[in-house]
Amino acid sequence: MLDRIRELVFGAPLPTHAMSEHRLSNFKAMAALSPDALASVAYANQEIFLGLAVAGAIGLSYSITIAVSIAGLLAVLALSYSQTITAYPTGGGSYTVAKENLGMIVGLIAASALMMDYVLNAAVSLTAGVAAVASAFPVLWPYRVSLSLVLLVVITLANLRGLREAGTVMVTPVYLFLATYLIMIVVGFAVLLRDGPGSLAAVATPATEELTIYIILRTFASGCTALTGVEAISNGVPIFRPPESRHANQTMLVMATLMGILFVGTIGLTQWLGVVVQGDETIVSGLARRIFGSGVLYLIVQGSTLLVLMVAANTSFVDFPRVASLMARDGYLPRQLSFLGDRLVFSNGIILLAGLAAT
């Protein structure tokens, strides 16, 4: 009886020799590994806006310059991780590279930072998504912790059932987000051509601080949250179908290109259309409202942003168990974390991450 319930919840055990058959295509791997990176576009724009708004219209006029600079850094990171994927096809990313080139101590520091990042990403992504829903529907506000835990359980079960199921769950939110944002950018440029550039001087709040190099550098640093999750593909190379390195590199190129388009496109339109927001509205919401008005298309953009934030936690469930398994093989974590479960995933690592994120 217990075995039947277990199979119903987690799926029937899979033979180890079938592992290659249950790896992910580029299409599904993109959905499983990119939400964290793509979702960061939504809040990196906000950080840039808030950082420059204190300097008024003059400060906001530097938005696109900072965005292009961050996009350049994204290109450097993508190239670096592409080299990592080719040189270290077993995955592990920063841990493996640091350990083999700079020594075990540096490797362990990198691994510790990665694992803490994955725990926080899972927790913050879920709670941010639920907080957004509760803001729209205040009746849910007292239950936001419980709702976050429910979503955590759903994502945990999807990952315990195996790579295919996890990738399938993430496909719709990720590609809906990409489609809505790319459409918004295209329509936004059409609006720009029709209406002409907006005036930041006419809509920006008066400056409370003088624009300085410090403000620009601080805003650049805050905007670099757009680079969150870029390392995920280099950590998860083994989940790709053979040849793993080639498919991972292809996916890295596509993800980095899309991130650059979304980030620079939305920041550029925000500046050129003269979009400024007040109060609790985000700058992405203000841009979507300027382009689409407050109708159905606006709600779709906001809904897709919420969904991709929710599933951004899945990146942690793909990469945390793999980094933990590599550390376990090296003797720095319990060896049980290196074992594959019945569904050919690192089940113990997934459960550990779920417990830490829930806490």
Side-chain angles (χ1 to χ4, degrees):
M1 183 63 178
L2 289 176
D3 288 341
R4 288 178 124 186
I5 295 174
R6 187 170 179 275
E7 284 193 17
L8 180 64
V9 176
F10 300 112
L14 299 170
T16 303
H17 66 76
M19 187 167 185
S20 61
E21 299 174 10
H22 287 266
R23 293 184 181 183
L24 299 182
S25 63
N26 290 14
F27 184 79
K28 285 190 176 181
M30 176 83 170
L33 294 172
S34 71
D36 183 16
L38 295 174
S40 64
V41 172
Y43 46 79
N45 292 22
Q46 184 74 4
E47 293 303 317
I48 291 176
F49 172 75
L50 293 175
L52 295 175
V54 296
I58 294 176
L60 291 173
S61 68
Y62 280 83
S63 297
I64 188 63
T65 303
I66 291 175
V68 170
S69 300
I70 293 173
L73 183 55
L74 170 63
V76 173
L77 281 174
L79 176 61
S80 298
Y81 281 121
S82 178
Q83 294 173 325
T84 300
I85 288 168
T86 302
Y88 300 93
T90 56
S94 300
Y95 170 62
T96 303
V97 174
K99 178 186 70 173
E100 296 193 6
N101 293 279
L102 300 173
M104 182 56 75
I105 297 299
V106 178
L108 290 174
I109 292 172
S112 300
L114 277 174
M115 295 178 75
M116 285 189 288
D117 177 53
Y118 289 139
V119 172
L120 291 171
N121 173 62
V124 170
S125 295
L126 291 172
T127 52
V130 170
V133 173
S135 296
F137 302 98
V139 68
L140 300 176
W141 192 258
Y143 309 105
R144 59 193 186 280
V145 174
S146 300
L147 290 172
S148 298
L149 292 173
V150 169
L151 290 175
L152 179 62
V153 169
V154 171
I155 293 177
T156 301
L157 290 177
N159 281 274
L160 286 173
R161 287 184 65 89
L163 295 173
R164 280 187 175 177
E165 282 78 358
T168 300
V169 168
M170 306 305 152
V171 164
T172 300
V174 170
Y175 288 106
L176 175 63
F177 172 80
L178 283 172
T180 54
Y181 268 62
L182 290 173
I183 291 171
M184 180 173 70
I185 290 171
V186 171
V187 176
F189 276 104
V191 171
L192 180 62
L193 289 173
R194 183 192 68 193
D195 298 344
S199 172
L200 286 171
V203 294
T205 55
T208 57
E209 296 183 33
E210 184 180 348
L211 183 66
T212 62
I213 292 295
Y214 171 74
I215 287 178
I216 291 175
L217 292 177
R218 183 184 65 188
T219 303
F220 173 84
S222 298
C224 282
T225 53
L227 305 176
T228 301
V230 176
E231 81 288 343
I233 291 175
S234 69
N235 288 337
V237 178
I239 76 169
F240 286 86
R241 290 177 180 171
E244 294 88 344
S245 294
R246 179 160 65 87
H247 289 152
N249 268 319
Q250 291 170 348
T251 306
M252 171 67 79
L253 176 62
V254 172
M255 184 185 76
T257 301
L258 288 171
M259 283 182 65
I261 292 172
L262 295 180
F263 186 58
V264 176
T266 52
I267 289 285
L269 286 171
T270 299
Q271 178 176 326
W272 297 325
L273 290 173
V275 177
V276 174
V277 294
Q278 306 289 338
D280 296 331
E281 186 175 23
T282 66
I283 193 65
V284 172
S285 171
L287 176 62
R289 197 185 300 277
R290 170 68 177 82
I291 294 171
F292 294 126
S294 299
V296 174
L297 292 176
Y298 165 77
L299 293 175
I300 291 174
V301 171
Q302 293 302 98
S304 68
T305 303
L306 168 63
L307 288 174
V308 83
L309 276 169
M310 288 182 175
V311 302
N314 191 68
T315 301
S316 297
F317 281 90
V318 175
D319 283 339
F320 178 97
R322 293 193 173 278
V323 176
S325 72
L326 292 171
M327 293 180 69
R329 290 172 194 169
D330 292 338
Y332 292 97
L333 284 176
R335 59 188 178 86
Q336 287 83 356
L337 293 172
S338 67
F339 298 158
L340 281 172
D342 290 342
R343 298 291 293 179
L344 305 182
V345 291
F346 296 104
S347 304
N348 292 328
I350 291 172
I351 293 170
L352 174 61
L353 172 61
L356 292 171
T359 302

